[in-house]
């Protein structure tokens, strides 16, 4: 791990994003969207889909609608969603290190929550299929709040349900959208990038960026030993 500033204080709770952070789902989602585009004869360069990462279905529909038109976007997303649900319900693979980190936090009795842009029914099915649902004290989704990330709503709700002040929460995120949401909530974000490498604009936010969940665990370890 390259030099990363130590955490300023012991977090009283850790809040996790889901897709791309705990589950290797971003690749699966993009693959399903690309397959749907190919089936429907829509020509979109493969890297264009990266801009949808970290956003809700509504935002993705708006982005794609601006690219190919609203009607074509709706049909493509419906097909892509159907393909992805089948993949998700079979169980999306874990990102490396997630189980070890969750087990360590549980052993030290650190409260844990999920805060995801995925709608609640699919989020619960994905977490259950990946055998992660039972490891959390709360699951908060875009279905539960008025505004999606980068608004802070889903993170503030997670803190409320855990009974922990936002300023005492550590957030683990992979996307710039999620990092902005955590910062807006007054929390301490640690970014573990997946498909989107942080650019200069993202790095200017001033948060901690690590290469892996194992590196995130290393940041937490000194505080956990002191509990």
């Amino acid at each position: 791990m390259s030099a990363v500033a130590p955490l300023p204080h012991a977090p009283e709770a850790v809040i996790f994003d889901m897709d791309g952070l705990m589950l290797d789902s971003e690749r699966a989602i993009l693959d399903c969207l690309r397959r749907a585009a190919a089936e429907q004869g829509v020509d979109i360069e493969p890297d264009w889909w990266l801009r949808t990462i970290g956003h809700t279905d509504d935002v993705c529909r708006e982005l794609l609608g601006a690219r190919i038109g609203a009607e074509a976007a709706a049909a493509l997303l419906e097909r892509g969603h159907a393909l992805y649900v089948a993949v998700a319900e079979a169980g999306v693979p874990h990102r490396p290190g997630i189980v070890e980190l969750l087990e360590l936090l549980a052993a030290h009795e650190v409260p844990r929550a999920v805060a995801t842009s995925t709608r609640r029914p699919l989020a619960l099915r994905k977490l259950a299929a990946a055998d992660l649902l039972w490891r959390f004290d709360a699951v908060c989704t875009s279905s539960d709040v008025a505004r999606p990330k980068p608004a802070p709503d889903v993170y503030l709700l997670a803190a409320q349900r855990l009974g922990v002040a936002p300023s005492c929460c550590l957030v683990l995120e992979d996307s710039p959208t999620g990092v902005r949401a955590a910062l807006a909530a007054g929390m301490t974000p640690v970014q573990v990038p997946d498909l989107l490498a942080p650019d200069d604009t993202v790095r200017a936010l001033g948060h901690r960026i690590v290469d892996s969940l194992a590196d995130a665990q290393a940041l937490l370890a000194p505080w956990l030993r002191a509990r």
Side-chain angles (χ1 to χ4, degrees):
M1 179 173 66
S2 55
V4 177
L7 295 176
H9 54 75
E12 295 181 16
V14 180
I15 306 176
F16 293 75
D17 179 46
M18 183 177 68
D19 293 304
L21 187 282
M22 295 194 293
L23 301 179
D24 196 13
S25 46
E26 300 291 8
R27 289 169 181 79
I29 293 167
L30 297 188
D31 179 63
C32 290
L33 290 171
R34 289 166 181 148
R35 285 166 57 194
E39 287 179 8
Q40 298 180 10
V42 176
D43 185 18
I44 297 178
E45 55 275 19
D47 286 348
W48 183 90
W49 297 101
L50 293 174
R51 68 190 64 188
T52 66
I53 290 174
H55 293 296
T56 62
D57 291 344
D58 289 342
V59 173
C60 292
R61 185 174 294 106
E62 182 179 339
L63 290 169
L64 188 58
R67 179 71 169 74
I68 64 173
E71 185 174 346
L76 193 159
L77 289 174
E78 181 179 1
R79 175 57 178 157
H81 180 74
L83 290 169
Y84 179 64
V85 167
V87 172
E89 292 186 340
V92 178
H94 296 163
R95 296 289 295 153
I98 186 58
V99 170
E100 293 83 356
L101 177 54
L102 288 170
E103 288 180 344
L104 180 65
L105 293 172
H108 289 274
E109 300 182 342
V110 178
R112 303 162 306 284
V114 176
T116 176
S117 295
T118 299
R119 304 293 291 176
R120 188 168 192 83
L122 181 57
L124 294 177
R125 293 203 301 271
K126 287 165 70 171
L127 290 167
D131 195 31
L132 293 179
L133 182 59
W134 64 275
R135 295 182 181 274
F136 291 94
D137 303 296
V139 175
C140 302
T141 74
S142 60
S143 302
D144 306 317
V145 294
R147 300 177 301 167
K149 302 174 187 179
D153 301 32
V154 72
Y155 278 116
L156 293 173
L157 178 62
Q160 178 185 352
R161 289 185 175 174
L162 292 177
V164 176
S167 61
C168 298
C169 293
L170 178 74
V171 168
L172 295 177
E173 265 284 358
D174 71 296
S175 75
T177 301
V179 168
R180 289 185 170 93
L183 289 169
M187 299 179 180
T188 300
V190 175
Q191 186 178 5
V192 188
D194 182 21
L195 294 179
L196 281 180
D199 59 17
D200 290 342
T201 301
V202 173
R203 291 184 181 277
L205 296 173
H207 61 293
R208 292 162 181 80
I209 302 173
V210 298
D211 294 330
S212 68
L213 286 169
D215 290 342
Q217 182 172 320
L219 280 179
L220 279 161
W223 294 111
L224 295 178
R225 287 195 293 268
R227 284 178 71 92

